[in-house]
Amino acid sequence: MSEKTPVDFWFDPLCPWAWITSRWVLEVEKVRDIDIRWHVMSLAVLNEDKLDEMPEQYREMMRTTAWGPVRVVIAAQQKHGDEVVGKLYTALGTRVHNGGEGPTREAIASALDDVGLPADLLEYADSDTYDKELRASHKEGIDKVGQEVGTPVIAVPGADGEQIGFFGPVITPAPRGEDAGKLWDGTLLVASIPGFYEIKRTRTAAPSFE
């Protein structure tokens, strides 16, 4: 049996684009031998030195709303292990994005219940108890791609097996079946080319959670 190919995935539950990409990775898992390792990054941390440059509405979101979900996920990881991260992310994203509930305390509480995690983890939404660990997880991901990107960040094996990080892929909606596998194959292909950095075009479609 061949060894599974590792893919490290950094997400912020707030980001709809990261959510779509994460559903693609889970689709890839059905058609390729991969091992997904989930990690938290934070749009609030990423943007904390850029708040003055932002529109007021987005600035307020980064100061307040953006902290709660990532703090709860990192607390769940610290108290209950790495294996709960992906499950909690799926529960959160399903409610926040597919269900249209948004990143509310009610949505977070319901997501915790969905995966059988203790309700008192919600208390960490307003606590900086694990902010050191949150920032360390964020730094690990962002150091692979640089400060000029957002979420998601993925890291896959390059030509010599070394880990290569990318922002994205940014897609909508998430491809299914073998189409998901083809995009994965392409991701590994570009990661195998020394010096490859970017392919990009302007987004003309809104996030689709189909």
PDB file of all heavy atoms in Angstrom, residues 117-135:
ATOM      1  N   LEU A 117     -18.430  18.160  21.540  1.00  0.00           N
ATOM      2  CA  LEU A 117     -17.429  18.823  22.372  1.00  0.00           C
ATOM      3  C   LEU A 117     -18.113  19.608  23.483  1.00  0.00           C
ATOM      4  O   LEU A 117     -19.257  20.044  23.328  1.00  0.00           O
ATOM      5  CB  LEU A 117     -16.572  19.765  21.523  1.00  0.00           C
ATOM      6  CG  LEU A 117     -15.541  19.079  20.618  1.00  0.00           C
ATOM      7  CD1 LEU A 117     -14.938  20.067  19.624  1.00  0.00           C
ATOM      8  CD2 LEU A 117     -14.434  18.436  21.456  1.00  0.00           C
ATOM      9  N   PRO A 118     -17.429  19.802  24.608  1.00  0.00           N
ATOM     10  CA  PRO A 118     -18.050  20.477  25.755  1.00  0.00           C
ATOM     11  C   PRO A 118     -18.512  21.892  25.430  1.00  0.00           C
ATOM     12  O   PRO A 118     -17.813  22.661  24.762  1.00  0.00           O
ATOM     13  CB  PRO A 118     -16.927  20.510  26.800  1.00  0.00           C
ATOM     14  CG  PRO A 118     -16.021  19.390  26.419  1.00  0.00           C
ATOM     15  CD  PRO A 118     -16.072  19.317  24.922  1.00  0.00           C
ATOM     16  N   ALA A 119     -19.680  22.235  25.926  1.00  0.00           N
ATOM     17  CA  ALA A 119     -20.267  23.549  25.669  1.00  0.00           C
ATOM     18  C   ALA A 119     -19.419  24.666  26.254  1.00  0.00           C
ATOM     19  O   ALA A 119     -19.428  25.800  25.741  1.00  0.00           O
ATOM     20  CB  ALA A 119     -21.681  23.607  26.236  1.00  0.00           C
ATOM     21  N   ASP A 120     -18.665  24.368  27.326  1.00  0.00           N
ATOM     22  CA  ASP A 120     -17.902  25.437  27.972  1.00  0.00           C
ATOM     23  C   ASP A 120     -16.711  25.915  27.132  1.00  0.00           C
ATOM     24  O   ASP A 120     -16.078  26.909  27.473  1.00  0.00           O
ATOM     25  CB  ASP A 120     -17.454  25.034  29.377  1.00  0.00           C
ATOM     26  CG  ASP A 120     -16.546  23.810  29.410  1.00  0.00           C
ATOM     27  OD1 ASP A 120     -16.146  23.324  28.330  1.00  0.00           O
ATOM     28  OD2 ASP A 120     -16.239  23.333  30.517  1.00  0.00           O
ATOM     29  N   LEU A 121     -16.418  25.233  26.013  1.00  0.00           N
ATOM     30  CA  LEU A 121     -15.389  25.744  25.110  1.00  0.00           C
ATOM     31  C   LEU A 121     -15.782  27.090  24.523  1.00  0.00           C
ATOM     32  O   LEU A 121     -14.923  27.870  24.110  1.00  0.00           O
ATOM     33  CB  LEU A 121     -15.124  24.747  23.979  1.00  0.00           C
ATOM     34  CG  LEU A 121     -14.280  23.522  24.329  1.00  0.00           C
ATOM     35  CD1 LEU A 121     -14.309  22.515  23.182  1.00  0.00           C
ATOM     36  CD2 LEU A 121     -12.846  23.921  24.653  1.00  0.00           C
ATOM     37  N   LEU A 122     -17.075  27.379  24.499  1.00  0.00           N
ATOM     38  CA  LEU A 122     -17.546  28.664  23.984  1.00  0.00           C
ATOM     39  C   LEU A 122     -16.967  29.831  24.773  1.00  0.00           C
ATOM     40  O   LEU A 122     -16.796  30.933  24.233  1.00  0.00           O
ATOM     41  CB  LEU A 122     -19.074  28.714  24.017  1.00  0.00           C
ATOM     42  CG  LEU A 122     -19.737  29.967  23.440  1.00  0.00           C
ATOM     43  CD1 LEU A 122     -19.398  30.143  21.960  1.00  0.00           C
ATOM     44  CD2 LEU A 122     -21.253  29.914  23.637  1.00  0.00           C
ATOM     45  N   GLU A 123     -16.642  29.605  26.044  1.00  0.00           N
ATOM     46  CA  GLU A 123     -16.097  30.665  26.880  1.00  0.00           C
ATOM     47  C   GLU A 123     -14.778  31.208  26.327  1.00  0.00           C
ATOM     48  O   GLU A 123     -14.410  32.360  26.577  1.00  0.00           O
ATOM     49  CB  GLU A 123     -15.881  30.143  28.304  1.00  0.00           C
ATOM     50  CG  GLU A 123     -17.172  29.701  28.998  1.00  0.00           C
ATOM     51  CD  GLU A 123     -16.908  29.011  30.319  1.00  0.00           C
ATOM     52  OE1 GLU A 123     -15.734  29.011  30.768  1.00  0.00           O
ATOM     53  OE2 GLU A 123     -17.868  28.473  30.906  1.00  0.00           O
ATOM     54  N   TYR A 124     -14.067  30.381  25.544  1.00  0.00           N
ATOM     55  CA  TYR A 124     -12.772  30.803  25.018  1.00  0.00           C
ATOM     56  C   TYR A 124     -12.912  31.778  23.854  1.00  0.00           C
ATOM     57  O   TYR A 124     -11.915  32.362  23.418  1.00  0.00           O
ATOM     58  CB  TYR A 124     -11.952  29.590  24.596  1.00  0.00           C
ATOM     59  CG  TYR A 124     -11.486  28.781  25.776  1.00  0.00           C
ATOM     60  CD1 TYR A 124     -12.209  27.671  26.213  1.00  0.00           C
ATOM     61  CD2 TYR A 124     -10.348  29.144  26.485  1.00  0.00           C
ATOM     62  CE1 TYR A 124     -11.802  26.929  27.314  1.00  0.00           C
ATOM     63  CE2 TYR A 124      -9.927  28.407  27.590  1.00  0.00           C
ATOM     64  CZ  TYR A 124     -10.665  27.303  27.996  1.00  0.00           C
ATOM     65  OH  TYR A 124     -10.264  26.585  29.090  1.00  0.00           O
ATOM     66  N   ALA A 125     -14.127  31.974  23.338  1.00  0.00           N
ATOM     67  CA  ALA A 125     -14.337  32.936  22.257  1.00  0.00           C
ATOM     68  C   ALA A 125     -13.913  34.337  22.672  1.00  0.00           C
ATOM     69  O   ALA A 125     -13.467  35.142  21.838  1.00  0.00           O
ATOM     70  CB  ALA A 125     -15.797  32.930  21.821  1.00  0.00           C
ATOM     71  N   ASP A 126     -14.044  34.636  23.958  1.00  0.00           N
ATOM     72  CA  ASP A 126     -13.709  35.967  24.478  1.00  0.00           C
ATOM     73  C   ASP A 126     -12.460  35.951  25.353  1.00  0.00           C
ATOM     74  O   ASP A 126     -12.210  36.896  26.093  1.00  0.00           O
ATOM     75  CB  ASP A 126     -14.887  36.519  25.283  1.00  0.00           C
ATOM     76  CG  ASP A 126     -16.156  36.620  24.459  1.00  0.00           C
ATOM     77  OD1 ASP A 126     -16.079  37.091  23.310  1.00  0.00           O
ATOM     78  OD2 ASP A 126     -17.220  36.201  24.957  1.00  0.00           O
ATOM     79  N   SER A 127     -11.686  34.884  25.238  1.00  0.00           N
ATOM     80  CA  SER A 127     -10.517  34.723  26.101  1.00  0.00           C
ATOM     81  C   SER A 127      -9.237  34.648  25.282  1.00  0.00           C
ATOM     82  O   SER A 127      -9.210  34.045  24.211  1.00  0.00           O
ATOM     83  CB  SER A 127     -10.665  33.434  26.936  1.00  0.00           C
ATOM     84  OG  SER A 127      -9.454  33.120  27.591  1.00  0.00           O
ATOM     85  N   ASP A 128      -8.168  35.249  25.813  1.00  0.00           N
ATOM     86  CA  ASP A 128      -6.881  35.170  25.138  1.00  0.00           C
ATOM     87  C   ASP A 128      -6.006  34.041  25.693  1.00  0.00           C
ATOM     88  O   ASP A 128      -4.801  33.994  25.456  1.00  0.00           O
ATOM     89  CB  ASP A 128      -6.134  36.499  25.234  1.00  0.00           C
ATOM     90  CG  ASP A 128      -5.807  36.878  26.687  1.00  0.00           C
ATOM     91  OD1 ASP A 128      -6.138  36.116  27.614  1.00  0.00           O
ATOM     92  OD2 ASP A 128      -5.218  37.967  26.876  1.00  0.00           O
ATOM     93  N   THR A 129      -6.621  33.098  26.388  1.00  0.00           N
ATOM     94  CA  THR A 129      -5.887  32.011  27.041  1.00  0.00           C
ATOM     95  C   THR A 129      -4.945  31.290  26.088  1.00  0.00           C
ATOM     96  O   THR A 129      -3.803  30.977  26.433  1.00  0.00           O
ATOM     97  CB  THR A 129      -6.867  30.994  27.649  1.00  0.00           C
ATOM     98  OG1 THR A 129      -7.714  31.658  28.581  1.00  0.00           O
ATOM     99  CG2 THR A 129      -6.119  29.870  28.358  1.00  0.00           C
ATOM    100  N   TYR A 130      -5.414  30.998  24.889  1.00  0.00           N
ATOM    101  CA  TYR A 130      -4.615  30.240  23.932  1.00  0.00           C
ATOM    102  C   TYR A 130      -4.177  31.089  22.732  1.00  0.00           C
ATOM    103  O   TYR A 130      -3.866  30.541  21.669  1.00  0.00           O
ATOM    104  CB  TYR A 130      -5.393  29.007  23.452  1.00  0.00           C
ATOM    105  CG  TYR A 130      -5.638  28.000  24.549  1.00  0.00           C
ATOM    106  CD1 TYR A 130      -6.929  27.745  25.013  1.00  0.00           C
ATOM    107  CD2 TYR A 130      -4.581  27.300  25.127  1.00  0.00           C
ATOM    108  CE1 TYR A 130      -7.161  26.824  26.016  1.00  0.00           C
ATOM    109  CE2 TYR A 130      -4.800  26.375  26.139  1.00  0.00           C
ATOM    110  CZ  TYR A 130      -6.095  26.147  26.585  1.00  0.00           C
ATOM    111  OH  TYR A 130      -6.317  25.230  27.582  1.00  0.00           O
ATOM    112  N   ASP A 131      -4.126  32.402  22.933  1.00  0.00           N
ATOM    113  CA  ASP A 131      -3.699  33.263  21.826  1.00  0.00           C
ATOM    114  C   ASP A 131      -2.243  33.001  21.423  1.00  0.00           C
ATOM    115  O   ASP A 131      -1.890  33.148  20.241  1.00  0.00           O
ATOM    116  CB  ASP A 131      -3.870  34.740  22.192  1.00  0.00           C
ATOM    117  CG  ASP A 131      -5.300  35.224  21.971  1.00  0.00           C
ATOM    118  OD1 ASP A 131      -6.187  34.376  21.717  1.00  0.00           O
ATOM    119  OD2 ASP A 131      -5.541  36.447  22.070  1.00  0.00           O
ATOM    120  N   LYS A 132      -1.402  32.607  22.362  1.00  0.00           N
ATOM    121  CA  LYS A 132      -0.016  32.280  22.023  1.00  0.00           C
ATOM    122  C   LYS A 132       0.021  31.116  21.049  1.00  0.00           C
ATOM    123  O   LYS A 132       0.751  31.138  20.040  1.00  0.00           O
ATOM    124  CB  LYS A 132       0.779  31.935  23.288  1.00  0.00           C
ATOM    125  CG  LYS A 132       2.234  31.561  23.021  1.00  0.00           C
ATOM    126  CD  LYS A 132       2.962  31.219  24.314  1.00  0.00           C
ATOM    127  CE  LYS A 132       4.403  30.786  24.033  1.00  0.00           C
ATOM    128  NZ  LYS A 132       5.117  30.432  25.299  1.00  0.00           N
ATOM    129  N   GLU A 133      -0.776  30.086  21.325  1.00  0.00           N
ATOM    130  CA  GLU A 133      -0.831  28.917  20.451  1.00  0.00           C
ATOM    131  C   GLU A 133      -1.487  29.260  19.115  1.00  0.00           C
ATOM    132  O   GLU A 133      -1.077  28.759  18.063  1.00  0.00           O
ATOM    133  CB  GLU A 133      -1.586  27.784  21.143  1.00  0.00           C
ATOM    134  CG  GLU A 133      -0.856  27.164  22.313  1.00  0.00           C
ATOM    135  CD  GLU A 133      -0.946  27.983  23.610  1.00  0.00           C
ATOM    136  OE1 GLU A 133      -1.641  29.037  23.620  1.00  0.00           O
ATOM    137  OE2 GLU A 133      -0.342  27.573  24.614  1.00  0.00           O
ATOM    138  N   LEU A 134      -2.499  30.112  19.164  1.00  0.00           N
ATOM    139  CA  LEU A 134      -3.157  30.563  17.934  1.00  0.00           C
ATOM    140  C   LEU A 134      -2.167  31.297  17.039  1.00  0.00           C
ATOM    141  O   LEU A 134      -2.085  31.036  15.826  1.00  0.00           O
ATOM    142  CB  LEU A 134      -4.335  31.474  18.289  1.00  0.00           C
ATOM    143  CG  LEU A 134      -5.021  32.217  17.138  1.00  0.00           C
ATOM    144  CD1 LEU A 134      -5.576  31.242  16.120  1.00  0.00           C
ATOM    145  CD2 LEU A 134      -6.113  33.142  17.665  1.00  0.00           C
ATOM    146  N   ARG A 135      -1.426  32.213  17.626  1.00  0.00           N
ATOM    147  CA  ARG A 135      -0.452  32.973  16.840  1.00  0.00           C
ATOM    148  C   ARG A 135       0.661  32.074  16.301  1.00  0.00           C
ATOM    149  O   ARG A 135       1.155  32.284  15.185  1.00  0.00           O
ATOM    150  CB  ARG A 135       0.129  34.100  17.681  1.00  0.00           C
ATOM    151  CG  ARG A 135      -0.881  35.220  17.949  1.00  0.00           C
ATOM    152  CD  ARG A 135      -0.303  36.306  18.845  1.00  0.00           C
ATOM    153  NE  ARG A 135      -1.293  37.344  19.100  1.00  0.00           N
ATOM    154  CZ  ARG A 135      -1.536  38.372  18.285  1.00  0.00           C
ATOM    155  NH1 ARG A 135      -0.818  38.493  17.159  1.00  0.00           N
ATOM    156  NH2 ARG A 135      -2.444  39.273  18.575  1.00  0.00           N
TER     157      ARG A 135
END
